[in-house]
């Protein structure tokens, strides 16, 4: 198969080799023994949590030998319990909105990344709700910015609005809860827009609706929510705080959390990029810990963690290394995925290449609903 920019799949072979090596070293770091796989939960009670890892992260700063120190939580806590896919290829447009939406539809979407439009193909949320006849409070999407607000529901006539995800925009919750805080300087870190904001997204979120969601769904008082936010360093921390609350209050069976802090790399500050990876690592551990401590989730939840894609290599003359994801080179298209939960084999490394659009049909098979328009393949190692 020929990939964009003339990459043939055979050129991935050196990377396969190096990934096998780094996983050997990763296995040596594992603190936990390989535990026996627990029995499957009853299909009706099974839940899925999907976390996209931060908005463009390279191997060099994550699972490659020099990057492993940045992700101690993934390495020592999650990896020994996981099936790890070491070569996840994104063959689509490397923009965060269109790229993340493509993972959610199982189709490499071709719309303008900055449009913020609803995707033309049905999303995982719609397949889930229509296929299993689930109400809207069972499928939730937590998005990093208002430009991502249309990601949870397609324009497909057979699916669409009646089956879309419920969407939470944590930044807008905070803005609505703290309207009298002047120019919000104290929340600059939390409210800064993403570096590739889909600024053309239609529809205007209203503060009234945000407050209603904050109080009726999450059961936060605006003052308490604002008070908690004061101690946070980043937008992703706010997103995970909201996610944990949602899991406690609503316990949706399908939850998608789009983390985005890592994309600060576009500023060119390598240290901020690394900070973002380290923070995301710890946030993933928080999410998994919350799953284990919540009876609605413990023992019946499968968690998927994957970057939307990578970032440019240091050696590609068309790019500027870690800063962007513009070249379409191998480093920018190739990442990884962690899958863990009941019935998932532990401490297993899958080295064959898979596609990032394989997620939707795999979750469909796992939870028992059809995904007829998704173009990826079911991963037999998972479902
Ligand atoms: Zn980016």
């Amino acid at each position: 198969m020929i990939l964009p920019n003339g990459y043939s799949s055979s050129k991935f072979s050196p990377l396969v080799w190096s990934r096998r090596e780094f996983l050997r070293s990763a296995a040596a770091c594992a603190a936990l023994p390989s535990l026996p796989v627990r029995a499957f939960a009853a299909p009706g009670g099974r839940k899925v949590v999907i976390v996209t890892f931060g908005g463009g992260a390279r191997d060099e700063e994550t699972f490659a030998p020099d990057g492993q120190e940045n992700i101690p939580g993934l390495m020592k806590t999650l990896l020994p319990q996981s099936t790890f896919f070491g070569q996840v290829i994104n063959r689509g447009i490397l923009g965060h909105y269109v790229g993340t939406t493509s993972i959610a539809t199982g189709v490499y979407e071709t719309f303008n990344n900055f449009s913020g439009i609803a995707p033309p193909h049905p999303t995982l949320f719609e397949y889930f709700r229509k296929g299993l006849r689930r109400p809207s409070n069972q499928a939730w999407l937590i998005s990093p910015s208002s430009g991502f607000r249309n990601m949870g529901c397609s324009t497909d006539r057979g699916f669409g609005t009646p089956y879309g995800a419920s969407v939470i925009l944590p930044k807008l919750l905070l803005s609505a809860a703290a309207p009298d805080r002047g120019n919000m300087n104290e929340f600059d870190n939390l409210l800064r827009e993403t570096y590739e904001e889909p600024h053309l997204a239609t529809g205007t979120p209203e503060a009234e609706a945000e407050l209603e969601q904050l109080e009726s769904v999450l059961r936060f008082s605006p003052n308490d929510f604002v008070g908690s936010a004061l101690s946070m360093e980043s937008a992703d921390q706010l997103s995970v705080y909201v996610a944990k609350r949602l899991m406690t209050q609503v316990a949706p069976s399908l939850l998608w959390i789009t983390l985005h802090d890592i994309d600060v790399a576009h500023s060119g500050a390598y240290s901020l990029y690394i900070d973002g990876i380290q923070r995301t690592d710890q946030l993933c551990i928080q999410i998994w810990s919350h799953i284990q401590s919540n009876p609605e989730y413990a023992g019946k939840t499968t968690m998927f963690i994957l970057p939307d894609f990578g970032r440019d290599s240091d050696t590609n003359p068309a790019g500027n290394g870690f800063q962007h994801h513009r070249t379409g080179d191998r480093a920018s298209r190739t990442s990884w995925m962690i899958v863990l939960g009941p019935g998932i084999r532990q401490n297993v490394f899958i080295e064959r290449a898979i596609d990032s659009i394989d997620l939707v049909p795999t979750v469909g098979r796992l939870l028992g609903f059809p995904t007829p328009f998704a173009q990826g393949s079911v991963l037999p190692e998972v479902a």
Side-chain angles (χ1 to χ4, degrees), residues 137-155:
N137 69 355
Q138 282 296 295
W140 285 80
L141 169 64
I142 297 180
S143 285
S145 70
S146 61
F148 280 58
R149 62 182 171 271
N150 295 318
M151 191 191 119
C153 184
S154 75
T155 55

Side-chain angles (χ1 to χ4, degrees), residues 55-56 94 96 195-196 260 263 266 309 311 323-325:
L94 301 184
H96 296 294
Y195 290 84
E196 291 176 20
H260 211 74
D263 210 35
H266 286 296
F309 41 74
R311 309 188 81 86
Q323 187 171 359
H324 303 302
H325 36 84

Side-chain angles (χ1 to χ4, degrees), residues 181-230:
R181 297 215 172 219
N183 57 9
M184 307 281 283
N185 281 337
E186 59 196 322
F187 293 125
D188 274 356
N189 282 346
L190 305 190
L191 296 176
R192 189 179 298 129
E193 285 296 6
T194 60
Y195 290 84
E196 291 176 20
E197 179 66 13
H199 53 274
L200 302 175
T202 55
T204 305
E206 296 177 359
E208 203 168 296
E210 302 297 327
L211 285 176
E212 168 73 12
Q213 194 176 54
L214 189 70
E215 297 183 89
S216 299
V217 177
L218 299 174
R219 300 187 182 281
F220 278 130
S221 78
N223 277 344
D224 286 350
F225 186 66
V226 170
S228 298
L230 282 170

